[in-house]
Every structure is written in structure tokens, then in C-alpha cells.
Amino acid sequence: MRILLVGASGTIGQLVTHRLLARNHEIITGGRFSGDIHVDLTSKESIENLFKKAGAVDAIISTAGAAEFAPVHSLTPEINQTAVLSKLLGQINLALVGQHYLYENGSITLITGIMKDDPIPGGASAAMANGGVAAFVKSAAIDLKNGQRINCVSPNILEESMEDYGESFIGFTPVSGKEVANAFLKSVEGKQTGQEYKVY
Amino acid sequence: MRILLVGASGTIGQLVTHRLLARNHEIITGGRFSGDIHVDLTSKESIENLFKKAGAVDAIISTAGAAEFAPVHSLTPEINQTAVLSKLLGQINLALVGQHYLYENGSITLITGIMKDDPIPGGASAAMANGGVAAFVKSAAIDLKNGQRINCVSPNILEESMEDYGESFIGFTPVSGKEVANAFLKSVEGKQTGQEYKVY
């Protein structure tokens, strides 16, 4: 399949790329500062430009989206905007624009994260974005046309990320990157839609 | 208790007002075009003005938030903005600003809705907002200080609303407004936090 992967340079993006290449898929990578096509997910125009350059694809995958971390008592509407514009709307706009560049029976796979189900301190803004994406996916699935599908993957903290982020996930049992990459593969090559694959 | 209720003129807002008045609470109502204090939830400045006028309260309740309905294949980032700015960020900004006007052990109660769990056609934008609010609530609860609490209520379609909206909820079994109002009362007078009361 011809697959557009946004966020390919991140830890999960690299794992997903390897997994898909091993299945002989063609990957077009999109990223803020790297990849085949540069894209700023906070800009609808940039997302439209991404698809104009990429052309029609069989699958769209996002392993991207930023959010700021702050305890709620010091979280402001302004700080919350990073998650709104990037992790939430960046991904949803990728789906809304991308559906029109997606072949029949094509799939969209977005990324959420465990903190919406299992909160960590300072994670409310990211959790909000995760929850919004997951609910959008479940609901959008019943509306898509031409056999198009949409799912999301909600990863736990990865074994590969424990050194960098483990302090925020004390007591969480990390999962392997391979399991997370497999969930993306299931979404792409499987037939399910409206699912949130929780890799916990 | 001294309670600020935003969205008091709506069907659920009226039911909640009656329930709280019967418990002898003092209600300050906020609304776009009605109520004791006018507020535009899409404006952070208007929310700040609301709290400056209302002063400190024991509880903040939202039964407000708009969203547009459109099938995903015709949903655009622009149409989605109504739900983002009103139903999602309107409520979250009410909580973020309002926490600083909330007494010790005070509560915040927001509103979501069944369509995030049980999708209806054209409901993806509203579902996104509902999912974002629910995940925010769950996560914010572990961060709030001074015993402050936060919950949300996710109502099914109401018996009282079947005549107006029943066509979008075919096969749903409506619930009574009294049950929904009770869930708000539980959030206000109870001790729980981080909960989503699903009245399904």
C-alpha cells in the first residue's frame, strides 16, 4: 500500500515505519522539520499542501501531535492551546482533509495515549486532546464513505521511552514498541473501524 | 451553597436549576442571552468577566456548549470550530478560569453526552468535544488543589427532548430529566471527583 505517515521521525513514528516497510508498504513521510514532505499540523493550509504533494494514498497515519504539561491549577487557556491546535486539531484536520485524498477502503489511523484513561500529574491538556481524538474516531467511523475506515492507537509508555519520560509514569508497566507498531499495522491491514487500540 | 450555573436557560439547565433550588442552594445563572450574568463561552475575556461579576462560589456548573452537526465526509475544520470553541474550550476555560474563584472543597461540573460512547450520524464534532471534556475532567481531578473537585455528566437523550431531537436518536431509550439533574446534584453535594456520570 501507499501510506502517508506524519510524525515519522518520532520514537513511535520510526517503529511504525520499520514495521510497515517490513510488510513491503511504500511510505511517504511527513514531519515538521524532516521527512519527504514538511507539514505544520497546526495549519490547515499546510495540511492541504501536504496532501497535494503526496497525492492519493491507501492509508494515512499520524504518530504526531504536541501538548504542554502543566498542573491544572497553573494551566491557562493559552497553555492549553498547544494541545488543542496540534495533538487534537492537527490530527483531526489531517483526517478531515485527508479523507478526500484517500482511496476507496483506505484507512486513517491517529494516535492518542494512556494518560486519558490513567491520568498523570500535569497531563490534563494532553488527556483532553487524546479524549477528543478517540471520541472523534469512534463517531467518524459511522459516517465515512467508500469503505474508508478510521481507528486510533492509544499507547502506554514505551520501554524505549522510559529513560526520557519514566519519571512521569512511575508505576506504569511499559510496553514494547513492537506491540504499539503492531496496533498501527492492524489498523492499516485489518478491516476494523471506529476502534481505539489500547496497548496497555 | 452559592452556585454559578452556565447554560441555565436550556432544557437541562432548567432541570438542574429546579433540582438545586429544591435543595435550597443559591443559584447565579449565566447565559449567552439570558440569566443573571451574560457570558460568551467562546471568549476567555467574557468568562473572566463572568467570574469577576459573580465572585467566589461553592460550585460551578455548565450545562452549556454548542456544536454543529454534519456527516464527516462534509465536515470541515471550519465547521468543527463551533464545537472546539464552545462545547470543548468554552467548558474547559470555564473550569480553568473558574478554579481561581472557587472556594476550598468547591466543585466544577461540566456536561458531555452519550454520542461520544454511542455515535449518531453527523455527531463526530460534538463527540470530539464530549470526549475531550471527559478526559480533561478525569485528568484534572488529580491536579486540583484545596480539595476542589471536578466531574462531568454525560446524559442520554432526555424524554423531554425526544420530540425535538428524537429523529437523531432512533432506538435510544431516553432518560428522565430528573435522573440527569440528580447526577449534577451528586457532583455538587457529593465528595467524588474525576467522575463521568453516565446517565444512560
Side-chain angles (χ1 to χ4, degrees):
Chain A
M1 294 181 195
R2 190 163 191 271
I3 300 172
L4 176 66
L5 171 54
V6 177
S9 67
T11 303
I12 293 176
Q14 289 180 45
L15 291 160
V16 173
T17 302
H18 283 293
R19 192 76 188 87
L20 294 172
L21 287 174
R23 293 284 301 165
N24 292 318
H25 294 297
E26 176 195 354
I27 314 290
I28 305 154
T29 56
R32 185 81 182 88
F33 303 111
S34 63
D36 299 323
I37 308 170
H38 288 196
V39 61
D40 173 7
L41 284 183
T42 68
S43 157
K44 184 197 161 193
E45 290 67 34
S46 182
I47 292 172
E48 284 171 340
N49 178 61
L50 167 72
F51 283 105
K52 280 177 190 154
K53 285 188 178 162
V57 294
D58 298 290
I60 299 163
I61 297 175
S62 165
T63 56
E68 289 188 52
F69 287 76
V72 162
H73 46 84
S74 62
L75 183 63
T76 61
E78 290 76 15
I79 295 172
N80 191 41
Q81 276 297 101
T82 301
V84 171
L85 294 177
S86 179
K87 199 171 185 58
L88 176 66
L89 294 184
Q91 293 201 88
I92 285 177
N93 290 347
L94 191 75
L96 291 179
V97 174
Q99 65 180 329
H100 304 293
Y101 293 85
L102 196 59
Y103 287 125
E104 199 172 312
N105 302 321
S107 68
I108 300 169
T109 310
L110 307 180
I111 190 166
T112 61
I114 191 172
M115 63 190 67
K116 71 181 239 302
D117 296 314
D118 204 0
I120 63 170
S125 186
M128 171 207 67
N130 288 336
V133 168
F136 173 84
V137 160
K138 182 164 189 169
S139 191
I142 70 169
D143 272 349
L144 284 170
K145 295 206 295 192
N146 305 318
Q148 292 179 347
R149 299 180 297 108
I150 186 166
N151 298 299
C152 59
V153 175
S154 182
N156 196 336
I157 178 79
L158 265 64
E159 288 164 358
E160 290 84 342
S161 304
M162 279 301 276
E163 198 173 310
D164 290 337
Y165 301 110
E167 276 300 310
S168 295
F169 292 88
I170 300 293
F172 286 62
T173 303
V175 296
S176 72
K178 192 177 172 184
E179 281 179 86
V180 174
N182 267 338
F184 282 90
L185 182 65
K186 186 196 280 181
S187 177
V188 169
E189 292 198 30
K191 289 287 184 189
Q192 298 178 18
T193 191
Q195 301 301 307
E196 183 183 26
Y197 297 118
K198 297 184 180 186
V199 188
Y200 301 163
Chain B
M1 293 183 197
R2 190 162 191 272
I3 300 173
L4 176 67
L5 171 54
V6 178
S9 68
T11 303
I12 294 176
Q14 290 179 46
L15 291 160
V16 173
T17 301
H18 283 294
R19 192 75 187 88
L20 294 172
L21 287 175
R23 293 283 302 164
N24 292 319
H25 293 298
E26 175 195 354
I27 314 290
I28 305 153
T29 56
R32 185 83 182 85
F33 304 110
S34 62
D36 299 322
I37 308 170
H38 287 196
V39 59
D40 173 6
L41 284 183
T42 69
S43 158
K44 185 198 158 191
E45 290 67 34
S46 181
I47 292 171
E48 284 170 341
N49 178 61
L50 166 71
F51 282 105
K52 279 176 192 157
K53 285 189 180 163
V57 293
D58 298 290
I60 300 163
I61 298 175
S62 165
T63 55
E68 291 188 50
F69 287 76
V72 163
H73 46 83
S74 62
L75 182 63
T76 61
E78 290 75 16
I79 295 172
N80 192 40
Q81 276 298 101
T82 301
V84 171
L85 296 177
S86 179
K87 199 171 185 59
L88 177 66
L89 293 184
Q91 293 202 88
I92 285 178
N93 291 347
L94 191 75
L96 291 180
V97 175
Q99 66 180 327
H100 303 295
Y101 293 85
L102 195 59
Y103 286 125
E104 201 173 312
N105 302 321
S107 68
I108 300 169
T109 310
L110 307 179
I111 189 165
T112 60
I114 192 172
M115 62 190 67
K116 72 180 240 300
D117 297 313
D118 204 1
I120 62 170
S125 187
M128 172 206 67
N130 289 336
V133 168
F136 173 84
V137 161
K138 182 165 189 168
S139 191
I142 69 168
D143 273 349
L144 283 171
K145 295 207 296 190
N146 305 321
Q148 293 179 347
R149 301 180 295 107
I150 184 165
N151 298 297
C152 59
V153 175
S154 182
N156 197 338
I157 178 80
L158 266 64
E159 288 165 357
E160 289 85 341
S161 304
M162 280 301 276
E163 196 172 312
D164 289 338
Y165 302 111
E167 276 301 309
S168 295
F169 291 88
I170 299 293
F172 286 62
T173 304
V175 295
S176 73
K178 192 178 174 186
E179 281 180 88
V180 174
N182 268 338
F184 282 91
L185 182 65
K186 186 197 282 182
S187 177
V188 169
E189 291 199 30
K191 287 289 185 188
Q192 298 179 17
T193 190
Q195 301 300 308
E196 183 183 24
Y197 298 117
K198 298 185 180 187
V199 189
Y200 300 163

